[in-house]
């Protein structure tokens, strides 16, 4: 398995650079017979799209996706699904000034040292624009999980800088450019972002993702655990520095008598474990939380070195998201969807003949 | 790649159950010519061993490891290294009472539902005793990384319940049963653990792990990132609910002008990124922090259901660690070592011919 | 996936050397609930065992297998199945004379050059004794395939040196030490082998393997084809130099009007494709044929070089099979079983929801 | 690893169907710094191209390849190389008549049964046109192997129907449309093909491929053997029914005293093992031979069933190669190149620090 692929059975392969001709991907292992069209992918891509509000990068991309294979008469055939998203707005001139310098917080220095060659235009392969491939691949996984198992995967912005957002409703999430679950806080977020943009600085964010309806039994102990694969997938998203499942770091200060989720015939009475026990889904909501670092591209001048090792300064004046976390919600959902689809397939491969012996009326958390 | 294996080139496979005859593992891909003996593995296993203080499980195991293959005249031959650790103290009778109930916070319910069959003795495959395999495999990786690249991997207890530990010195870590880097706090920890044990409850913990001397260039963007593989490996450890790299969740409240690690010819001036930029090691310390949930096996009675779905209660009276985090330090080190060894091999496979073009005097954080 | 593992979902990992303490293996991915005991593995191991007739190596090994994990109350639990076969008759002194020389046809030279270190005792890792692991792993696969799908996997000796054997009956195969399907030819084979042994030389062989009852649909085009995986698995057996599926090399001289297997409502009218079309099983018998080279260890002196590059001679006087092909039948069966089990799991992962639309009364070859 | 990907470190992923918009592929793991352009891929694609003589399919395709990623200023960057080959001449109407029938020897029936849905246009995913992806991916591998290690990979037609071709010279191979190494036999081949085409029938072929200059040491025993991976890769090519390494099936009738390749300080004195000993390259030429079945699409009417299971007949009148083996030479070369590149990378990952201890003046066969 190469570095640009992930998933054992629902396998996603990605290629493309920020200023090359196109991004593209291959989804292999999707079950046959799923009704699918480019519109299904486009819907998710549009949620991630740049230029959708003044708070995100003003790069102009339609992110139009073309499906090149794996479909016949509107249904998946079980063969590899190839798709392409052409780049449209590559202003290479924007980046010429920084080709010789390593931007702090960026992958410039590490790519240069690893490969001895670097496509500096817009971050090349390290650009967060690569996440279009994840979102497209995740759209297919989402659709299949929903239709086959009733699994629903949704995310929201949980924190922007130091502002923690209350979870009010899923409906609200899609109504504002922040994926905020709380309408009331949106004006405050807008004001904060305007000030941030003006200051030339950037900030971090927290995004929460929840998968509901996941059946009990997905995940392969001991290394191929569901939560392990989720953690790996989330940490592979650009700018992510932390991942939590369930109570996460809050579990440190919990007592065992508080943390362990009790069960009753009516279901679990809490969900500190975030829907995963021993690496296997428990039937409760799978709850994941990720930390995204502040955008590294800022207008404020910063110390660095150039490719010859001499000290210099760099300030980034291109079109950048002042908070990459704002557009991260669909990306995190997509990664969760891909991991779940992979484990759905893996589970039924090994355990297709198992009749789960215990009848639990409602294996979900009691409200 | 099956669920009981991990690593692409430095590949670890594990088997064994808590009350079966033995645990064992296979390390495949270790470079040939490394001086190695069972004592190298034993040293690390002894650090993890139960019964080493009154604060951990009193199960009596020598954890004696036998190497079965892959060595010739004291050196690795490049072939698969098989090893075995016999179980000695399996008191199956201890567990008979709970075979019919699902212990809250444990994997009992999920294994039962997934596989339709469950080895309830001591948690079976879900027992944290499986980590002996990780520690043994990690010992080999550690030795090779140290000898070949000068990489040093060390961990310590950073928080126990609500007590945050100061980092005083690496030397102190090996001198107390908590892997505490601060001698002064040890009496307080002992008192806390005594009270906890008496109360029949358990608590969570935070463990930090640091790899020093990692060369720049390890890690494969975009999915096979070094940090992604570290996150997956850490989350696969029993009881882990959260993983951070570098600033981790603290990055949410940072500004970009604070987070992005500036560079000078003398090196980086901070290490918020935890030694990984764009998924590739930067040459700085790789810093990882994990959250471990409180032990699920506690003496306090808890509500649950039995295998027929009827409500009942369970209290666990066996020999358990009141805080699994206390013995987790060598385990987390081992997982980090395995991931780094894997990426060391992956990097030189692809980039063996690259001469890193930039001479940076000291690619480490300036003190 | 490391070099000592194979299979994506039914995954086999192997370790051990000819004169080390033991061989062992791990089977991961086996479905839960399969009734299994060491006796199931032992039965197949006994078919491969050395010393069973004067025509094979006189090394004395009981090949007693111990299962170390993955079973509970006589059934597989779905966790990794570890097993061990201790070496008993390692006469290291036999090999001291050849440690400094490269035996023609053996892996001595290539291991030495690849790894810079070589366990010369009995061929070390390159010994054909490693096939005990394959046979044990295959025994589990065979049992599951038989119980779950009614698949029966059988092989026989099809050619010994220049003697081609007629296929008379499956029953006969297990009644003679050659796995000959023809009782009448056995005395001739015995005489031939006696002469061969006396001459100090060795000969090659052909083994045919057939899997009956394989459902239509197993195999993943285009690279993970069933026949591709079979070919890889067969060629990985020591001494195998050729693999055929169906008509094999005979297809070169066939016309399309002869080769393409016609279909009728009663089934296929021929099986030139060997049960695989487009990489997917067709429901017909999967037929595989392999060529095994003559044993490289012979008493006749041969030219070679020593580890310093000087010319010398080598003759091998140890205990060797004069024809490795004689004991190869259970090994080839085991490899086919493992590949089929893997693809059975892979198929139902992706296509569990497919109802094959065409009703073919009998998708097998008409007699 | 999904069914449409192969290779562990030099990893090729493929998508596309005969009558879809395009074929495409992703090569991941290519070392950075290799000078590469679309022309390098085009050269090999042109060798495989349809319509290049009257003896192959008259489908009109320029097979123009576009590289979409992984290059910067004419050199590989070490990131995934995506490429696209648009289909131009898809006459879907040609195939409407056969959409309801299963063509003997084709994958129609097995795809239909496996997936429950089938793209019948030109064979869909099962079309041999998929080999464009292999050839493009192989072109990159070939170039790197040549520049980095001096490895040269060449193939030729060794048998056409019952006509065995003499190997006269590599130069001749590229001068005729059959990849015949013997100029003298070409008129006879042309006459044979004209008659074959006229008869509406097809024939099989044998193709030999040779890799020269492969260093000693590539290949991972015991399952990841070089020859095992070559066999798997070759058998994954459409229409291949047999694979041989070195003496292949001829080894059955050899004696050990003939087969085992003796060594002298001047090199090996024969190459019966085909450049692989114990699964590891020996430094001799790697020699591979494959059998290709006769084209299944023929004008002669053949018995079959339709999708409802009723008996019918089918004759194929489209544009087909009367012998798929004629264009198979570049495809087989490509597959060998990909496997060798993969093992070159795998070898140096594990054994980069090994200094091969034996100085053999010329590890090649003495002429």
């Amino acid at each position: 398995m190469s570095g640009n692929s992930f998933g054992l059975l629902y396998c996603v392969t990605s290629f493309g650079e920020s200023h090359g001709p196109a991004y593209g991907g291959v989804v292999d292992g999707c079950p046959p017979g799923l009704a699918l069209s480019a519109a299904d992918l486009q819907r998710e891509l549009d949620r991630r799209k740049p230029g959708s509000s003044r708070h995100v990068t003003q790069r102009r991309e339609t992110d139009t996706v073309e499906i090149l294979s794996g479909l016949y008469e509107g249904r998946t055939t079980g063969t590899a699904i190839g798709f392409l998203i052409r780049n449209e707005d590559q202003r290479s001139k924007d980046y010429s000034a920084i080709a010789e310098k390593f931007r702090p917080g960026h992958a410039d220095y590490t790519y240069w040292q690893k490969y001895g060659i670097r496509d500096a235009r817009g971050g090349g392969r390290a650009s967060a624009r690569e996440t279009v491939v994840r979102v497209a691949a995740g759209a297919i996984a989402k659709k299949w999980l929903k239709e086959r198992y009733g699994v629903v995967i949704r995310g929201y912005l949980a924190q922007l800088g130091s502002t923690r957002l209350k979870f009010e409703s899923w409906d609200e999430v899609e109504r504002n450019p922040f994926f905020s679950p709380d309408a009331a806080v949106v004006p405050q977020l807008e004001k904060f972002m305007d000030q941030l943009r003006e200051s030339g600085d950037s900030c971090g964010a927290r995004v929460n993702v929840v998968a509901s309806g996941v059946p009990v039994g997905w995940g392969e102990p001991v290394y191929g655990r569901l939560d392990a694969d989720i953690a790996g997938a989330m940490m592979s998203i650009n700018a992510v520095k932390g991942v939590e499942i369930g109570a996460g770091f809050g579990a440190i200060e919990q007592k065992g008598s508080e943390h362990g989720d009790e069960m009753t015939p009516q279901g679990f009475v809490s969900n500190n474990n975030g829907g995963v026990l021993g690496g296997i889904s428990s039937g409760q909501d799978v709850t994941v939380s990720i930390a995204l670092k502040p955008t590294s591209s800022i207008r404020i001048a910063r110390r660095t070195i150039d490719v010859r090792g001499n000290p210099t300064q760099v300030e980034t004046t291109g079109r950048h998201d002042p908070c990459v976390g704002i557009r991260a919600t669909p990306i995190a959902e997509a990664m969760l969807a891909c991991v779940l689809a992979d484990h759905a397939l893996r589970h039924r491969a090994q355990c297709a003949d198992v009749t789960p012996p215990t009848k639990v009326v409602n294996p979900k958390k009691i409200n």
Side-chain angles (χ1 to χ4, degrees), chain A residues 13 15 23-28 41 65-71 79-85 140:
Chain A
T13 298
F15 63 88
Y23 279 96
V26 187
V27 168
D28 197 15
L41 282 64
V65 68
E66 178 189 15
I67 296 181
L68 295 170
S69 67
L71 296 186
T79 62
I81 303 168
F83 56 84
L84 210 64
I85 296 148
I140 304 171

Side-chain angles (χ1 to χ4, degrees), chain A residues 21-101:
Chain A
Y23 279 96
V26 187
V27 168
D28 197 15
C30 181
L34 178 71
L36 191 75
S37 71
D40 293 311
L41 282 64
Q42 200 63 56
R43 199 173 306 118
E44 292 291 330
L45 286 165
D46 288 349
R47 293 175 68 217
R48 191 216 74 103
K49 203 165 63 176
S52 54
S53 83
R54 72 177 184 276
H55 308 298
V56 299
T57 172
Q58 294 308 300
R59 180 168 172 159
R60 293 290 160 193
E61 296 284 358
T62 63
D63 283 353
T64 307
V65 68
E66 178 189 15
I67 296 181
L68 295 170
S69 67
L71 296 186
Y72 184 64
E73 297 181 345
R75 295 199 170 265
T76 57
T77 60
T79 62
I81 303 168
F83 56 84
L84 210 64
I85 296 148
R86 293 268 171 193
N87 290 323
E88 295 158 356
D89 185 13
Q90 320 100 300
R91 307 188 199 162
S92 289
K93 60 185 179 305
D94 287 351
Y95 296 93
S96 54
I98 56 162
E100 299 263 299
K101 299 174 180 180

